[in-house]
């Protein structure tokens, strides 16, 4: 099965300027919507609602939460889950994913997704939370791997932690390739070393995006900021992942909508989409055992 190629939708007008030629050419096969960006009384600008309805009706709409904060122990998630239940009544999501880790606590409401050590207490919390998530969603649910790690232990434990969280609900892994690239660079790991840490048989969706660099003393840190073109190294990771992840159904290109402000950036974004499609067609049409 050749995976469907699609986009993570953004509400900004410049995003729709960038992607309009792709929709007009009918090459966007699936879309993903981070639905909790639209909660809280926010109105969604056209053409976003009509695209959501169209792809929902075709069973080609994927859901992606960004603020559930799976491993936050002292944060009440009932309101979030109630909003999710209403969301699932408005649109038919084929599957829904969230981030591994945590991003909120009593002292602050939002951060980048952060890791948690694999302990009996954190595992029980995560299993309880993903079970609640699955009961509300009533579709397959999954978790996305993190880019951030405090140290090698976080890197080495993440795949095992994800497997233990996903197994009780038979969930899927959303494998973000740029997040892997961040950890490969920041901790000097090869593609095979880091991929072998994850339950690749659970991978149902891939994410690709760009990011940025931060200088910390003599160290250059790769960050998953979704504000630049997809690096060559991430396209190479896509080729490897397509060989190692036989259950992939969808490949999603991500970019923050307000970063596509120039014609050059918009053109590059469409080129990234085309390159994903070319790599996928080439890898998935190659004879088994061939190159």
């Amino acid at each position: 099965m050749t995976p469907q190629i699609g986009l993570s939708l953004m509400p900004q007008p410049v995003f729709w300027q960038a992607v309009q030629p792709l929709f007009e050419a009918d090459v966007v096969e699936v879309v993903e919507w981070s639905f909790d960006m639209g909660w809280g009384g926010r109105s969604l600008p056209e053409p976003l609602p009509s695209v959501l309805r169209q792809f929902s009706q075709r069973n080609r709409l994927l859901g992606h939460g960004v603020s559930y904060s799976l491993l936050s122990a002292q944060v009440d998630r009932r309101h979030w889950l109630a909003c999710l239940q209403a969301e699932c009544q408005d649109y038919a999501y084929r599957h829904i994913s969230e981030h591994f880790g945590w991003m909120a606590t009593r002292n602050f409401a939002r951060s980048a997704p952060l890791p948690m050590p694999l302990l009996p207490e954190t595992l029980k919390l995560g299993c309880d939370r993903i079970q609640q998530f699955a009961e509300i969603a009533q579709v397959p649910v999954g978790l996305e791997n993190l880019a951030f790690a405090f140290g090698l232990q976080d890197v080495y434990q993440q795949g095992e932690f994800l497997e233990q969280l996903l197994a009780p609900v038979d969930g899927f892994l959303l494998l973000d390739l740029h997040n892997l690239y961040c950890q490969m660079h920041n901790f000097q790991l090869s593609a095979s070393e880091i991929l072998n840490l994850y339950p690749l048989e659970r991978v149902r969706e891939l994410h690709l995006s760009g990011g940025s660099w931060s200088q910390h003393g003599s160290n250059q840190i790769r960050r998953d900021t979704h504000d630049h073109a997809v690096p060559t190294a991430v396209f190479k990771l896509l080729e490897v992942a397509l060989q190692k992840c036989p259950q992939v159904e969808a490949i999603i290109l991500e970019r923050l909508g307000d970063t596509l402000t120039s014609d050059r950036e918009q053109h590059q974004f469409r080129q990234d989409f085309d390159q994903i499609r070319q790599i996928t067609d080439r890898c998935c049409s190659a004879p088994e055992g061939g190159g």
Side-chain angles (χ1 to χ4, degrees), residues 7-78:
L7 299 167
S8 173
L9 301 179
M10 293 285 134
Q12 290 85 2
V14 289
F15 172 83
W16 291 98
Q17 291 175 12
V19 302
Q20 183 179 356
L22 300 176
F23 281 103
E24 289 177 348
D26 198 26
V27 294
V28 180
E29 300 170 319
V30 63
V31 296
E32 183 169 81
W33 170 232
S34 294
F35 42 76
D36 41 3
M37 292 198 308
W39 294 350
R42 299 184 185 96
S43 60
L44 302 181
E46 289 294 346
L48 179 52
S50 58
V51 170
L52 291 175
R53 288 192 296 270
Q54 176 189 352
F55 280 80
S56 173
Q57 291 165 2
R58 296 165 58 195
N59 194 32
R60 295 194 172 194
L61 175 62
L62 312 179
H64 187 53
V66 296
S67 58
Y68 185 46
S69 198
L70 183 80
L71 297 177
S72 290
Q74 297 175 326
V75 177
D76 190 342
R77 299 289 82 189
R78 286 177 293 181

Side-chain angles (χ1 to χ4, degrees), residues 177-179 181-182 208-213 222-224 228-238 253-254 268 272 275-276 279:
L177 300 182
H178 187 265
N179 287 355
Y181 172 58
C182 290
L208 283 85
S209 65
S212 58
W213 300 99
R222 184 67 183 181
R223 300 172 58 226
D224 184 51
H228 288 88
V230 178
T232 299
V234 175
F235 285 124
K236 292 180 178 177
L237 265 178
L238 174 59
L253 175 62
E254 300 180 292
Q268 180 63 60
D272 286 350
Q275 189 163 352
I276 291 171
I279 291 171

Side-chain angles (χ1 to χ4, degrees), residues 194-207:
I194 199 159
L195 282 167
N196 287 339
L197 297 172
Y198 289 87
L200 300 182
E201 70 282 355
R202 290 194 181 275
V203 177
R204 181 167 172 160
E205 181 180 344
L206 300 174
H207 275 183

Side-chain angles (χ1 to χ4, degrees), residues 19-254:
V19 302
Q20 183 179 356
L22 300 176
F23 281 103
E24 289 177 348
D26 198 26
V27 294
V28 180
E29 300 170 319
V30 63
V31 296
E32 183 169 81
W33 170 232
S34 294
F35 42 76
D36 41 3
M37 292 198 308
W39 294 350
R42 299 184 185 96
S43 60
L44 302 181
E46 289 294 346
L48 179 52
S50 58
V51 170
L52 291 175
R53 288 192 296 270
Q54 176 189 352
F55 280 80
S56 173
Q57 291 165 2
R58 296 165 58 195
N59 194 32
R60 295 194 172 194
L61 175 62
L62 312 179
H64 187 53
V66 296
S67 58
Y68 185 46
S69 198
L70 183 80
L71 297 177
S72 290
Q74 297 175 326
V75 177
D76 190 342
R77 299 289 82 189
R78 286 177 293 181
H79 177 70
W80 194 96
L81 291 169
C83 291
L84 174 64
Q85 189 169 39
E87 183 75 26
C88 292
Q89 293 171 353
D90 290 338
Y91 298 106
Y93 290 98
R94 192 165 81 197
H95 68 228
I96 299 178
S97 58
E98 243 294 350
H99 295 91
F100 171 71
W102 65 280
M103 59 187 303
T105 184
R106 289 183 301 177
N107 298 322
F108 59 95
R110 195 80 172 259
S111 76
L114 300 172
M116 189 74 80
L118 176 53
L119 301 169
E121 296 82 2
T122 55
L123 179 60
K124 182 181 185 305
L125 172 66
C127 286
D128 289 346
R129 286 284 171 81
I130 197 170
Q131 183 65 52
Q132 295 168 6
F133 183 32
E135 288 172 358
I136 295 295
Q138 291 296 301
V139 293
V141 297
L143 295 174
E144 178 182 359
N145 59 299
L146 290 186
F148 195 93
F150 291 112
L152 270 173
Q153 179 175 325
D154 290 332
V155 177
Y156 289 143
Q157 283 188 342
Q158 190 176 144
E160 180 186 354
F161 204 158
L162 281 162
E163 169 60 24
Q164 293 194 44
L165 290 170
L166 294 170
V169 295
D170 194 22
F172 67 90
L173 176 60
L174 193 173
L175 193 64
D176 188 301
L177 300 182
H178 187 265
N179 287 355
L180 290 184
Y181 172 58
C182 290
Q183 295 202 341
M184 286 168 58
H185 173 83
N186 295 339
F187 294 95
Q188 293 81 53
L189 297 171
S190 69
S192 60
E193 284 175 320
I194 199 159
L195 282 167
N196 287 339
L197 297 172
Y198 289 87
L200 300 182
E201 70 282 355
R202 290 194 181 275
V203 177
R204 181 167 172 160
E205 181 180 344
L206 300 174
H207 275 183
L208 283 85
S209 65
S212 58
W213 300 99
S214 290
Q215 196 71 33
H216 295 269
S218 60
N219 296 321
Q220 196 175 45
I221 304 299
R222 184 67 183 181
R223 300 172 58 226
D224 184 51
T225 48
H226 291 202
D227 53 0
H228 288 88
V230 178
T232 299
V234 175
F235 285 124
K236 292 180 178 177
L237 265 178
L238 174 59
E239 296 183 20
V240 178
L242 287 171
Q243 296 171 10
K244 291 180 173 288
C245 305
Q247 305 302 322
V248 173
E249 296 180 5
I251 304 173
I252 300 295
L253 175 62
E254 300 180 292

